[in-house]
């Protein structure tokens, strides 16, 4: 007789498991009700409320359980370099092989699924910059509900600057739709911009609803119902575009992240030429073959273009520019103006700057005198001119300031006169 295997659950883990399963069941019930409901004018308010309920439940699913410290399981990978790129995809689509090709870091690759079980980082040296590339385990359908290691993979993806969705060119387009749906379920919006909706909670005054144009998807009544579903009774909301109900819910939730994504179709050597041509013409898509090393240089160029990194070279006064080690800026990490450039060098440098001289594509003429708000572009050269320090004594009778103490109590008392 083999010994019976018993698994012991603590009270905390059991409560967490039961709570998670309860939320997932509620989400599935609401999704089934939405599937049964016909879409027309009479049911749009009901469908809007159901969408708000699902968004609230999915937010609860991602939050740590009450009474915990907030730290959950994940992949501990320190940020390094000037940008971070995450590889996301189904198992056995070539993520590990792509990491090895681009970075030289060995990541185990095999013909069976789930070869990679943890996060493996690598560094891409491209255009004098260092870009961190993360090989993440493959995710499956239902990853947003915690299946596999989906939540940890998605958490690392949220901390990245850009996502590379690796797909198999020989398989159906359903994989791309499944992955996009899983990422949207946890608040990741791929290749989208934040909706132009102003929303602010207030303490009193009720709900103020305004719009700068005619709305076709949302009206005042539907907006009130969604806000009441979130128990918000005092708020100010302004629509600057014809947004949908989903856009309104994203603004109310306030925890959505809008990221750029490149769809990388691997294994084009086993697909037909017509399929490869169709995939290559889709927006934000690149076709490659890791087996034959095809089109990898185009992938790096597209990744560089989407990340929007700006290299700025320094020029000491009276010397040639230093083209060896650029200062790398980006809109997602601080900004790309002169003030951000000075902060990158040293925090205390901004207050000493008189003006800067700029050579490059951002300058109207070379060199151009610029202030702290001037926007820099790739491969600009910047020379910082500091303010001159004033002498303590001044010059002649035109003294800039006095050496006398500022306060009366600090003055030295003179000795009494002798009588």
């Amino acid at each position: 007789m083999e010994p019976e295997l018993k698994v012991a659950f603590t009270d905390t883990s059991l409560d967490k498991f039961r709570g998670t399963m309860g939320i997932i069941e509620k989400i599935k019930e609401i999704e089934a009700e939405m599937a049964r409901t016909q879409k027309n004018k009479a049911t749009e308010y009901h469908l809007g409320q159901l969408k708000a309920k699902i968004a609230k439940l999915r937010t609860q699913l991602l939050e740590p359980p009450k009474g915990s410290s907030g730290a959950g399981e994940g992949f501990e990978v320190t940020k390094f370099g000037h940008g971070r790129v995450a590889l996301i995809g189904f198992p056995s689509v070539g993520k590990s092989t792509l990491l090895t090709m681009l970075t030289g870091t060995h990541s185990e690759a095999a013909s069976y699924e789930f070869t990679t079980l943890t996060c493996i980082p690598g560094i891409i040296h491209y255009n004098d910059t260092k870009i961190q590339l993360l090989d993440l385990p493959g995710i499956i359908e239902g990853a947003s509900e915690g299946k596999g290691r989906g939540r940890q993979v998605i958490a690392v993806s949220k901390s990245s600057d850009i996502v590379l969705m690796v797909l198999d060119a020989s398989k159906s387009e359903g994989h791309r739709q499944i992955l996009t749906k899983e990422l949207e379920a946890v608040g990741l919006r791929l290749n989208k911009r934040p909706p132009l909706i102003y929303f602010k909670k207030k303490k009193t005054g009720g709900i103020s609803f305004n719009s700068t144009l005619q709305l076709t998807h949302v009206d005042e009544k539907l907006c009130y119902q969604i806000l009441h579903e979130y128990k918000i009774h005092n708020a100010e909301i302004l629509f600057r575009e014809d947004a949908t109900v989903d856009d309104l819910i994203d603004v109310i939730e306030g925890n959505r992240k809008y990221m750029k994504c490149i769809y990388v179709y691997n294994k084009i050597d086993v697909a037909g030429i017509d399929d490869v041509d169709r995939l290559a013409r889709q927006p934000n898509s690149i076709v490659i073959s890791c087996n034959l090393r095809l089109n990898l240089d185009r992938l790096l160029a597209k990744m560089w273009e989407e990340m929007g990194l700006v290299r700025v070279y320094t020029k000491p006064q009276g010397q040639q520019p230093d083209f060896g080690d650029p200062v790398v800026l980006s809109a997602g990490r601080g900004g790309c103006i002169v003030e951000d450039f000075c902060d990158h060098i040293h925090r205390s440098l901004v207050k000493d700057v008189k003006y800067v001289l700029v050579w490059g594509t951002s300058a109207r003429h070379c060199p151009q005198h610029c202030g702290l708000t001037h926007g820099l572009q790739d491969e600009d050269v910047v020379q910082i001119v500091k303010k001159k320090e004033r002498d303590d004594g001044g010059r002649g009778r035109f003294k800039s300031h006095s050496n006398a103490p500022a306060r009366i109590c600090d003055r030295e008392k003179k000795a009494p006169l002798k009588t």
Side-chain angles (χ1 to χ4, degrees):
M1 291 286 293
E2 294 183 356
E4 186 179 356
L5 180 64
K6 293 183 179 180
V7 180
F9 288 97
T10 61
D11 295 339
T12 308
S13 60
L14 195 59
D15 293 341
K16 178 182 176 181
F17 176 75
R18 287 172 179 169
T20 303
M21 293 305 296
I23 294 173
I24 293 173
E25 288 175 0
K26 289 179 182 177
I27 291 174
K28 289 182 177 179
E29 288 177 2
I30 296 174
E31 287 177 343
E33 185 177 351
M34 289 177 65
R36 291 194 303 266
T37 306
Q38 294 182 352
K39 292 183 180 180
N40 51 48
K41 274 285 184 183
T43 60
E44 63 178 3
Y45 300 112
H46 180 59
L47 289 172
Q49 282 186 314
L50 293 179
K51 288 181 179 179
K53 287 181 180 178
I54 286 182
K56 282 176 62 179
L57 290 171
R58 282 178 175 157
T59 303
Q60 292 177 17
L61 200 62
L62 296 175
E63 289 176 352
K66 294 181 180 179
S68 67
S69 60
E73 298 179 1
F75 303 118
E76 295 181 0
V77 181
T78 306
K79 272 195 173 185
F80 180 81
H82 305 110
R84 173 181 267 198
V85 180
L87 295 173
I88 288 184
F90 278 92
S92 295
V93 293
K95 298 187 297 298
S96 300
T97 309
L98 182 61
L99 177 84
T100 305
M101 293 273 184
L102 296 179
T103 66
T105 304
H106 177 69
S107 180
E108 186 178 353
S111 58
Y112 54 87
E113 295 185 346
F114 296 105
T115 311
T116 304
L117 299 177
T118 184
C119 180
I120 300 175
I123 301 297
I124 302 174
H125 297 271
Y126 188 73
N127 285 347
D128 296 329
T129 60
K130 297 176 182 177
I131 302 172
Q132 188 180 40
L133 186 66
L134 301 179
D135 179 20
L136 298 170
I139 60 177
I140 57 177
E141 190 172 2
S144 59
E145 300 173 357
K147 291 184 179 179
R149 303 198 72 178
R151 285 195 198 169
Q152 290 93 319
V153 171
I154 293 168
V156 175
S157 306
K158 279 189 173 182
S159 66
S160 305
D161 300 315
I162 191 173
V163 170
L164 294 185
M165 187 182 290
V166 186
L167 302 164
D168 194 337
S170 61
K171 294 186 178 179
S172 64
E173 278 289 298
H175 285 187
R176 174 173 166 175
Q177 298 174 1
I178 292 171
L179 287 173
T180 305
K181 182 181 177 182
E182 293 296 330
L183 294 177
E184 285 193 347
V186 294
L188 270 175
R189 301 291 180 262
L190 303 179
N191 296 326
K192 293 181 180 179
R193 58 168 180 79
L196 298 176
I197 301 175
Y198 172 77
F199 174 73
K200 183 181 180 181
K201 292 182 182 179
K202 298 189 297 185
K203 294 183 179 179
T204 57
I207 296 174
S208 174
F209 178 87
N210 288 299
S211 63
T212 59
L213 71 170
Q214 186 177 1
L215 302 178
T216 59
H217 304 288
V218 181
D219 58 4
E220 191 171 354
K221 180 182 175 183
L222 179 56
C223 181
Y224 282 10
Q225 287 185 347
I226 293 174
L227 289 173
H228 288 166
E229 184 66 37
Y230 282 92
K231 298 181 180 178
I232 299 173
H233 306 290
N234 300 288
E236 185 178 351
I237 189 163
L238 171 64
F239 284 82
R240 294 192 177 98
E241 67 175 2
D242 190 13
T244 61
V245 179
D246 297 321
D247 294 334
L248 175 60
I249 292 172
D250 288 347
V251 172
I252 295 172
E253 285 283 346
N255 58 356
R256 307 301 192 228
K257 184 162 185 184
Y258 298 84
M259 298 183 66
K260 292 183 178 180
C261 176
I262 300 175
Y263 303 101
V264 182
Y265 290 92
N266 189 20
K267 304 180 183 179
I268 59 172
D269 50 323
V270 297
I273 188 64
D274 295 334
D275 294 334
V276 173
D277 183 66
R278 177 179 54 83
L279 294 174
R281 294 180 185 277
Q282 292 182 359
N284 301 312
S285 299
I286 294 290
V287 291
I288 65 168
S289 173
C290 292
N291 188 24
L292 300 179
R293 296 177 178 266
L294 294 176
N295 215 23
L296 295 179
D297 53 346
R298 179 64 189 132
L299 172 61
L300 288 174
K302 180 70 174 177
M303 189 170 63
W304 172 266
E305 178 187 345
E306 293 295 333
M307 291 185 74
L309 296 180
V310 175
R311 294 165 293 171
V312 182
Y313 300 97
T314 57
K315 181 186 180 302
Q317 192 169 3
Q319 300 179 24
Q320 293 294 324
D322 180 15
F323 292 111
D325 188 15
V327 176
V328 182
L329 307 173
S330 66
R333 293 193 178 190
C336 299
I337 62 175
V338 173
E339 186 176 358
D340 304 320
F341 168 75
C342 297
D343 286 339
H344 197 279
I345 296 174
H346 199 278
R347 287 288 181 185
S348 63
L349 184 60
V350 175
K351 60 183 181 181
D352 297 331
V353 175
K354 185 177 181 180
Y355 61 90
V356 296
L357 296 173
V358 179
W359 292 261
T361 54
S362 68
R364 296 181 181 177
H365 47 83
C366 294
Q368 180 181 351
H369 286 61
C370 301
L372 294 175
T373 58
H374 177 75
L376 298 172
Q377 295 181 11
D378 193 27
E379 294 188 326
D380 279 357
V381 177
V382 175
Q383 176 183 326
I384 298 175
V385 180
K386 292 186 177 181
K387 299 174 184 176
K388 291 184 178 179
E389 297 180 359
R390 291 188 303 183
D391 296 331
D392 292 337
R395 181 175 294 177
R397 60 194 179 96
F398 300 102
K399 296 180 71 173
S400 58
H401 61 281
S402 173
N403 294 329
R407 299 183 301 176
I408 295 177
C409 61
D410 293 337
R411 294 179 181 176
E412 296 180 4
K413 292 184 179 180
K414 294 182 179 180
L417 295 174
K418 294 181 180 181
T419 57

